Amino acid sequence: MTEIEEQEQRVKTAMKEHSGENGFPLLSDYDTTEEEVSDYFFDLRVAPDLQQDAKKRYTIYSIILIMPVVVLSAFANGTKWLLLGVGTGLVLCGIYYCGTRMWDNYQERKRMASAPARYIAAVEAFLNKR
């Protein structure tokens, strides 16, 4: 069982066992529902799979790298143009890499600031106090 699955089980068990206790966080206080909490855990389990899809990632990089060479070879021939195309492709790959990293970081910050994430943190804090 992964760490995410263990955390999900802890939180859901706590929700069932302690929902009526004094001091236990209420879903309504965090503007979330049980379904949103379940969806949050599902997204946490799926996110690494999306980022680790190496075949797709390398295919995109190879296309970005090769396209400037193909386009420039349609207009001129020579070593200078080949090197210019490869250089342009490398720059575009770098831009794509930085863009995808920025997008992934944005998504992670957005996910961590969501209502289900705050509720789960409150439940974990409640369980740690006990």
Side-chain angles (χ1 to χ4, degrees):
M1 192 180 289
T2 66
E3 184 179 324
I4 294 170
E5 291 170 342
E6 290 172 1
Q7 183 185 24
E8 179 179 14
Q9 188 155 359
R10 270 194 321 271
V11 169
K12 287 187 176 184
T13 301
M15 288 170 64
K16 288 177 187 172
E17 293 177 354
H18 304 291
S19 62
E21 285 186 27
N22 240 357
F24 188 77
L26 300 174
L27 288 165
S28 59
D29 291 344
Y30 292 89
D31 294 328
T32 190
T33 63
E34 284 188 44
E35 183 178 328
E36 288 176 344
V37 171
S38 294
D39 290 345
Y40 175 81
F41 281 117
F42 177 76
D43 289 343
L44 283 181
R45 285 192 306 268
V46 172
D49 293 338
L50 296 176
Q51 294 173 354
Q52 297 300 327
D53 192 6
K55 184 177 180 181
K56 177 182 173 185
R57 209 171 7 130
Y58 292 139
T59 302
I60 292 171
Y61 282 119
S62 64
I63 290 171
I64 291 173
L65 181 64
I66 298 300
M67 284 311 293
V69 174
V70 172
V71 169
L72 286 177
S73 70
F75 297 109
N77 289 330
T79 306
K80 178 174 85 173
W81 293 103
L82 174 67
L83 293 176
L84 180 65
V86 170
T88 304
L90 288 172
V91 168
L92 291 174
C93 283
I95 292 170
Y96 178 74
Y97 175 81
C98 291
T100 55
R101 293 296 147 237
M102 287 173 40
W103 178 254
D104 290 344
N105 290 338
Y106 168 74
Q107 291 294 330
E108 183 64 25
R109 283 192 312 272
K110 184 177 161 186
R111 183 175 29 252
M112 296 311 276
S114 67
R118 289 184 288 120
Y119 176 75
I120 291 166
V123 171
E124 291 283 337
F126 174 82
L127 292 174
N128 289 335
K129 286 181 185 177
R130 294 188 59 130

